[in-house]
Amino acid sequence: MASPISGETLDMFFVLRLVIVGLIFGWLARFFYPGIVHMGWIATILLGLGGSMAGGFIGRFFSGSGRPAEPAGCLGSVLGAMLLIFLGRALHLF
């Protein structure tokens, strides 16, 4: 029996979930980072997604795991995004 949900619909929900998760983690990182962080919605989403990947890389580095990089958990994602804010400010990107 065929699934009532097509692959294109699942891909759309995957992208929508990425946007929502990126927005939440990016917003949390901006909230907890000291000082005002000026960026729009799209930059906040990208910050959250990048923070998740950065947190995953850092977690794999310290755990010594040979597995490929995976997104970090909630705390790792927020800390990774805060690290990206710090690096962005140090390099005068924003």
Side-chain angles (χ1 to χ4, degrees), residues 9-82:
T9 305
L10 290 177
D11 291 342
M12 181 180 67
F13 284 123
F14 176 73
V15 171
L16 182 62
R17 187 175 64 211
L18 281 178
V19 168
I20 292 171
V21 168
L23 180 64
I24 291 169
F25 290 145
W27 182 82
L28 285 172
R30 288 177 55 195
F31 180 78
F32 288 117
Y33 193 84
I36 297 174
V37 180
H38 298 285
M39 58 178 56
W41 290 99
I42 294 174
T44 302
I45 292 168
L46 294 175
L47 174 69
L49 294 175
S52 179
M53 292 308 297
F57 282 123
I58 292 169
R60 297 298 171 260
F61 177 75
F62 285 117
S63 71
S65 173
R67 295 181 303 183
E70 297 174 0
C74 294
L75 181 62
S77 296
V78 173
L79 292 176
M82 290 175 71

